[in-house]
Amino acid sequence: MQTVGQKRCRTDFDKFVIVSNFERRQWLKGDDDDWDFYWASVTTIKRIFSPENTVRLEPHQIINHFPNHYELTRKDLMVKNMKRYMKQQKKDVLPDPVADFVPVTYILPQDYSLFVEEFRKAPVPWIMKPIAKAQGRGIFLINKLSQVKKWASTDIPAAMRPQTENYVVSRYIEDPLLIGGKKFDLRIYVVVLNYKPLQVYMSQLGFARFCNIKYSSEVAEMDNQFVHLTNVAIQKHGDEYNSRHGNKWPLTDLRLYLEATRGHAATSKLFDNIKSVIVGSLKACQNVMINDRHCFELYGYDIIIDQDLKPWLIEVNASPSLSATTQSDRLLKCKVIHDTFQLVTPPDWDLAAVITPGQTGQVSRCLPKAVGSMQLLYDETTELEQGRARRDALLSTESVKRGRRKTMIDSVAQRPVSAYA
């Protein structure tokens, strides 16, 4: 019999930020199927939720990925879901449609012909990324079609094509916002508790990641990763890398800088737009995501800002790096994980007692506006409740109108017939 407070935990990662948070809660080390909380790798998730796996999770068990998390975090699937979502938005003619927030992107080799057509309209730089790699591996810039000719054999049957890795190719953001002449992007942490209804928190503890070398759009610098790619896994090998601050700047400092240089109104609009990008991307895959009650997700969003202060979604990471490059980086990530644990395992955590068999959603509870650094970004239950209230009010009004019409008809029918009729 499980007792409240005595939890067993597992993890596939020997990372301080995870293990220290387990120890802080005095959770016991679990093994095999004997666990309450599992911080798992995506490989483990695939095994656990595989149709061939006959073992099913117990009601009280919590794990850190949804079964098909890759619908948002694999680059090609993210693009497909975003395109479908944007198309539906335009088709529905919504009063406030979500603006395009993903650069023009194609999947190679299947979209090669479409890509060539778009490339010839404006031969600007494009960026190539393998669909399922991280930390900047396999990424390169192109400005000539000859650089992607090995993806051109789309008219050859798939079984006869040369073995080429699937890539996404995106229009490169040529006018990124620069600070000190250097390119940077944002890493923002987002926790999804539930997809149906969508319930999302965003951490205030993100950071900006800077390149070592000042940005240049010159062709001679196209192959220079230290100019174009902000990934720490790449930048830390550069001669200009600063190990003291790890080429990172806290999100709060970035906001203060932007308020001083661009103004409060423009900065507030930027961060509101970033929130819209996050919510929009989650809604784009909401209907295809398997909403398992045992699951939550900690995403790492990578966003670039251009000179017009427009945010662009670059990618979403299912397993954002938990390695720390500096002491401040370690403290930040420990806090992010701590606050994530607080969200998904609140003090009264006892899922077995409150979840009934067959329930498909998370435990129904009133979500706090903030938990540590995590701020409630979106709670669809509020919209659903408001929609139900409007629908009930409309039905009530229609019912009253029908009642009045019936009364009028009955009164007319009951009038005496005139002798002179």
Side-chain angles (χ1 to χ4, degrees):
M1 178 88 180
Q2 180 128 19
T3 59
V4 177
Q6 188 178 10
K7 305 301 179 184
R8 292 184 177 275
C9 57
R10 287 195 67 187
T11 180
D12 294 332
F13 304 95
D14 185 22
K15 300 292 185 181
F16 175 82
V17 297
I18 296 292
V19 176
S20 64
N21 272 289
F22 285 163
E23 293 174 347
R24 182 174 182 175
R25 286 164 175 73
Q26 298 182 341
W27 289 353
L28 305 176
K29 186 177 181 180
D31 51 38
D32 297 330
D33 297 323
D34 182 22
W35 52 268
D36 303 292
F37 184 97
Y38 197 163
W39 194 277
S41 67
V42 293
T43 303
T44 296
I45 295 297
K46 183 177 181 180
R47 175 181 58 79
I48 287 177
F49 290 107
S50 169
E52 289 76 28
N53 182 16
T54 58
V55 178
R56 292 294 175 257
L57 298 182
E58 296 295 329
H60 65 275
Q61 292 180 310
I62 294 179
I63 198 163
N64 65 318
H65 291 297
F66 288 91
N68 59 335
H69 58 88
Y70 44 79
E71 291 287 349
L72 179 62
T73 57
R74 210 177 80 173
K75 298 177 183 69
D76 58 334
L77 296 180
M78 183 189 83
V79 169
K80 288 181 180 179
N81 288 323
M82 296 298 177
K83 287 183 177 180
R84 183 180 60 247
Y85 180 62
M86 298 297 182
K87 185 177 181 180
Q88 189 62 45
Q89 291 264 306
K90 293 174 182 177
K91 180 180 177 181
D92 293 343
V93 194
L94 298 179
D96 185 22
V98 175
D100 292 347
F101 49 78
V102 177
V104 177
T105 302
Y106 297 96
I107 303 168
L108 300 183
Q110 54 262 49
D111 292 341
Y112 182 80
S113 297
L114 295 173
F115 164 64
V116 170
E117 183 180 346
E118 184 68 24
F119 181 90
R120 285 173 175 164
K121 291 178 183 177
V124 296
W126 292 71
I127 186 166
M128 295 278 294
K129 299 179 181 180
I131 63 170
K133 289 184 179 178
Q135 298 182 329
R137 291 191 293 268
I139 297 177
F140 60 95
L141 271 64
I142 65 167
N143 62 351
K144 297 177 183 177
L145 287 175
S146 59
Q147 294 169 285
V148 292
K149 61 182 179 182
K150 71 176 182 178
W151 285 275
S153 54
T154 54
D155 55 338
I156 301 175
M160 298 175 63
R161 291 177 194 167
Q163 293 298 314
T164 56
E165 186 176 6
N166 284 355
Y167 267 66
V168 293
V169 57
S170 304
R171 186 188 291 270
Y172 188 60
I173 306 299
E174 284 192 282
D175 60 340
L177 180 65
L178 306 177
I179 296 181
K182 296 180 179 180
K183 179 182 174 181
F184 67 94
D185 72 354
L186 305 183
R187 166 56 57 87
I188 296 176
Y189 296 104
V190 173
V191 174
V192 175
L193 298 179
N194 210 8
Y195 265 99
K196 294 178 183 178
L198 186 60
Q199 296 174 321
V200 189
Y201 281 81
M202 185 177 83
S203 176
Q204 306 302 299
L205 295 178
F207 50 82
R209 305 180 300 181
F210 285 82
C211 289
N212 286 327
I213 301 175
K214 289 188 176 182
Y215 178 75
S216 171
S217 58
E218 296 296 325
V219 174
E221 295 289 354
M222 279 190 61
D223 295 331
N224 192 337
Q225 294 185 321
F226 301 123
V227 171
H228 296 285
L229 304 184
T230 60
N231 308 76
V232 175
I234 289 175
Q235 295 296 329
K236 68 181 181 180
H237 297 295
D239 294 336
E240 305 295 325
Y241 178 72
N242 189 319
S243 58
R244 184 174 55 84
H245 55 60
N247 284 23
K248 295 178 181 178
W249 209 13
L251 203 57
T252 50
D253 289 353
L254 174 69
R255 181 157 192 160
L256 288 172
Y257 172 84
L258 292 175
E259 287 175 348
T261 56
R262 295 297 190 98
H264 287 267
T267 303
S268 294
K269 182 180 178 181
L270 165 64
F271 280 85
D272 285 343
N273 288 341
I274 289 174
K275 293 175 182 178
S276 296
V277 166
I278 293 170
V279 173
S281 67
L282 294 170
K283 285 188 172 183
C285 63
Q286 182 180 23
N287 290 333
V288 297
M289 196 68 71
I290 298 172
N291 190 59
D292 192 289
R293 68 171 181 256
H294 304 91
C295 306
F296 71 95
E297 201 82 46
L298 172 63
Y299 292 118
Y301 272 73
D302 292 345
I303 292 175
I304 283 183
I305 307 168
D306 66 20
Q307 289 287 354
D308 296 325
L309 295 190
K310 177 177 178 177
W312 294 92
L313 177 59
I314 303 305
E315 62 182 76
V316 183
N317 298 274
S319 301
S321 174
L322 300 177
S323 299
T325 53
T326 66
Q327 179 62 20
S328 59
D329 195 35
R330 171 175 290 191
L331 292 174
L332 181 147
K333 290 178 179 177
C334 278
K335 178 62 174 170
V336 168
I337 297 300
H338 172 269
D339 294 342
T340 300
F341 282 14
Q342 291 291 91
L343 276 176
V344 301
T345 63
D348 58 350
W349 175 35
D350 189 10
L351 299 185
V354 294
I355 289 186
T356 57
Q359 184 175 340
T360 57
Q362 295 276 31
V363 179
S364 178
R365 58 188 172 99
C366 182
L367 297 179
K369 294 296 183 183
V371 174
S373 68
M374 297 290 177
Q375 302 288 319
L376 181 61
L377 176 59
Y378 186 78
D379 183 4
E380 196 174 27
T381 55
T382 303
E383 285 188 8
L384 294 175
E385 289 169 359
Q386 292 173 347
R388 280 193 290 267
R390 287 193 297 267
R391 185 170 61 253
D392 292 345
L394 180 62
L395 291 174
S396 177
T397 302
E398 289 297 323
S399 178
V400 170
K401 288 180 179 179
R402 284 196 298 270
R404 288 174 179 172
R405 283 197 296 269
K406 186 176 185 303
T407 301
M408 291 175 63
I409 293 171
D410 290 346
S411 64
V412 170
Q414 293 172 7
R415 289 178 185 173
V417 180
S418 172
Y420 299 98

